[in-house]
Amino acid sequence: QVQLVESGGGLVQAGGSLRLSCAASGRTFSSDVMGWFRRAPGKEREFLAAIRWSASSTYYADSVKGRFTISRDNAKNTVYLQMNSLKLEDTAVYYCAADPRTTIGIATIPRSYDYWGQGTQVTVSS
């Protein structure tokens, strides 16, 4: 059974930092693209960042570039999202996801990702 389990969310003041983790299990992810998305209240799911397990190539949405960093630990089958300089508008439920089908480049649309975690809430306060 494929599982993606996010953790690390919580309440943080504006300007602060959080690190989200996504532990993956149930299949081999070595060829997958792993992505982070978020959904704020009343908004569509938004792509944030992605990384390949097999390489260190990464891609970021403009809204988080320079503030968020995606990384992975292959030995632990875990992907991380380090979030710095958090803003009020970063408040959302954050999801990790796995895309096993994209072989060239990195997909930024949710329907390209077959596996999803349950999400973790991040709330940024003033």
Side-chain angles (χ1 to χ4, degrees), residues 8-14 17-18 86 91 121-126:
L11 176 64
V12 63
Q13 284 193 322
S17 299
L18 281 176
L86 284 163
T91 295
Q121 176 70 45
V122 171
T123 303
V124 183
S125 65
S126 58

Side-chain angles (χ1 to χ4, degrees), residues 3-122:
Q3 277 196 312
L4 301 177
V5 180
E6 302 98 335
S7 60
L11 176 64
V12 63
Q13 284 193 322
S17 299
L18 281 176
R19 188 177 81 156
L20 305 183
S21 300
C22 173
S25 63
R27 61 183 289 275
T28 300
F29 293 90
S30 57
S31 299
D32 290 13
V33 173
M34 301 298 294
W36 284 98
F37 292 76
R38 69 185 177 191
R39 176 174 279 166
K43 295 189 176 182
E44 297 291 321
R45 193 166 297 196
E46 176 190 11
F47 169 83
L48 301 176
I51 188 170
R52 286 193 173 275
W53 281 111
S54 59
S56 60
S57 57
T58 57
Y59 185 82
Y60 296 92
D62 288 341
S63 59
V64 303
K65 197 175 295 182
R67 298 190 299 126
F68 292 9
T69 302
I70 189 170
S71 61
R72 84 259 189 262
D73 184 329
N74 291 344
K76 295 182 179 180
N77 251 15
T78 300
V79 179
Y80 304 97
L81 186 68
Q82 177 67 42
M83 306 186 296
N84 299 328
S85 302
L86 284 163
K87 305 175 182 180
L88 296 179
E89 53 265 39
D90 292 320
T91 295
V93 178
Y94 284 69
Y95 301 89
C96 73
D99 170 11
R101 293 177 281 122
T102 299
T103 57
I104 298 175
I106 288 179
T108 61
I109 55 176
R111 66 172 179 266
S112 294
Y113 290 76
D114 291 349
Y115 306 103
W116 291 84
Q118 82 288 350
T120 185
Q121 176 70 45
V122 171

